[in-house]
């Protein structure tokens, strides 16, 4: 929706250019309008949804999310920073899955600090990037680059999805719909067919989230109550700080 509005601003600028007979406005507005439309199309494809569903279905989803909040989960296993540190200390491979929660908490530097600590212990560290993680394609890449995360450690969904089953620990920070197994297991789900990261295939999944609230789709995420999932309820930055402190103490 944001990308579409950006394209409209470009079209408005282009139209103004025609009215004022200003070639610069016409060219700049055309570029902004075209790029916004292309970006909108890319994001819709990544979510396997039509533009109408994104615009109008999203509004209904937000209302459902506000109404349902944390309801519907029966066997969630919560964990602590101390327990997470112990799991990571024994891990030989870790994949970080960043989401909007990491962006809100500005936790990318703590992610990098934790990754560096794990690498010093001989752990293989990588980052799985969903096509629409955050608010637009490339959002997570920019934040991680800001924290000096090596580009070669960033993997797109298609490159890393088959490797989750060979991974000891996956740490999901703020991501929700992009890691929801309903997309592949429930044909009636609003996100059915949407490309998702198969994090549940890993030996252990640690989800760092402030609550069990739904994502953009407004539906439950069964990942939260899978047998191999642990929930660390906290702000992403504070949670990572605590895990780092516990890991250094081991």
């Amino acid at each position: 929706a944001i990308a579409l509005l950006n394209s409209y601003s470009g079209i408005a600028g282009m139209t103004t250019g025609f009215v004022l007979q200003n070639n610069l406005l016409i060219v700049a507005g055309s570029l902004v309008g075209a790029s916004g439309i292309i970006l909108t199309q890319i994001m819709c494809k990544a979510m396997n949804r039509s533009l109408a569903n994104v615009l109008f279905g999203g509004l209904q989803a937000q209302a459902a999310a506000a109404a349902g909040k944390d309801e519907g989960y029966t066997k969630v296993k919560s964990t602590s920073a101390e327990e997470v540190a112990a799991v990571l200390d024994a891990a030989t491979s870790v994949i970080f899955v960043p989401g909007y929660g990491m962006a809100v908490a500005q936790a990318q530097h703590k992610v990098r600090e934790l990754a560096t600590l794990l690498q010093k212990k001989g752990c293989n560290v990588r980052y799985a990037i969903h096509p629409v993680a955050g608010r637009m394609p490339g959002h997570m890449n920019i934040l991680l680059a800001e924290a000096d995360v090596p580009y070669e450690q960033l993997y797109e969904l298609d490159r890393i999805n088959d490797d989750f089953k060979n991974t000891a620990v996956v740490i999901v920070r703020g991501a929700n719909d992009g890691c929801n197994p309903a997309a592949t297991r429930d044909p009636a789900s609003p996100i059915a067919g949407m490309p998702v990261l198969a994090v549940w295939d890993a030996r252990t999944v640690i989800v760092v989230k402030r609550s069990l609230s739904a994502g953009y789709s407004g539906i439950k995420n069964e990942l939260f109550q899978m047998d191999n999932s642990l929930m660390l309820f906290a702000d992403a930055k504070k949670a990572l700080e605590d895990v780092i402190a516990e890991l250094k103490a081991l």
Side-chain angles (χ1 to χ4, degrees):
I2 293 171
L4 186 64
L5 291 174
N6 283 338
S7 74
Y8 287 165
S9 71
I11 293 171
M14 178 187 67
T15 305
T16 304
F18 279 114
V19 173
L20 300 178
Q21 296 183 344
N22 186 315
N23 291 335
L24 182 60
L25 267 179
I26 294 172
V27 173
S30 299
L31 290 173
V32 172
S35 62
I37 290 292
I38 293 170
L39 184 57
T40 303
Q41 189 175 29
I42 291 172
M43 295 182 74
C44 286
K45 183 178 179 181
M47 294 187 293
N48 195 37
R49 296 168 69 187
S50 67
L51 181 58
N53 183 264
V54 170
L55 293 175
F56 304 111
L59 295 176
Q60 297 170 0
Q62 290 293 350
K69 292 189 178 179
D70 296 357
E71 297 177 2
Y73 295 97
T74 57
K75 54 178 183 178
V76 171
K77 299 187 293 293
S78 62
T79 187
S80 63
E82 184 179 5
E83 185 178 356
V84 170
V87 171
L88 292 176
D89 188 50
T92 56
S93 57
V94 172
I95 296 177
F96 289 96
V97 178
Y100 186 61
M102 184 192 78
V104 171
Q106 288 291 294
Q108 62 268 27
H109 295 283
K110 292 301 174 183
V111 171
R112 165 67 172 173
E113 186 179 346
L114 177 57
T116 301
L117 193 58
L118 291 171
Q119 286 175 304
K120 288 180 179 178
K121 292 176 174 288
C123 183
N124 178 29
V125 174
R126 288 170 295 171
Y127 301 79
I129 311 297
H130 191 277
V132 291
R135 282 296 176 260
M136 62 182 64
H139 190 184
M140 296 298 104
N141 302 63
I142 292 170
L143 289 178
L144 293 172
E146 180 185 304
D148 296 324
V149 172
Y151 183 76
E152 59 271 16
Q153 292 182 2
L154 306 184
Y155 287 78
E156 295 178 359
L157 184 148
D158 292 339
R159 291 180 58 206
I160 202 167
N161 235 11
D162 291 336
D163 205 35
F164 280 111
K165 59 181 176 290
N166 303 316
T167 303
V169 180
V170 171
I171 301 179
V172 180
R173 300 172 321 285
N176 202 326
D177 294 330
C179 300
N180 194 334
T184 60
R185 302 180 183 184
D186 183 4
S189 172
I191 61 171
M194 172 181 167
V196 290
L197 293 162
V199 299
W200 53 86
D201 286 339
R203 190 181 311 153
T204 303
V205 181
I206 298 168
V207 182
V208 181
K209 209 171 180 294
R210 285 178 292 185
S211 70
L212 291 170
S213 58
Y216 180 81
S217 66
I219 62 175
K220 285 174 57 179
N221 191 339
E222 293 299 330
L223 172 68
F224 298 165
Q225 54 183 4
M226 284 186 165
D227 292 337
N228 61 334
S229 292
L230 298 171
M231 299 292 301
L232 181 56
F233 294 109
D235 170 83
K237 188 174 183 179
K238 178 64 167 60
L240 291 171
E241 286 175 348
D242 292 344
V243 171
I244 290 169
E246 292 291 344
L247 194 57
K248 286 180 178 179
L250 293 176

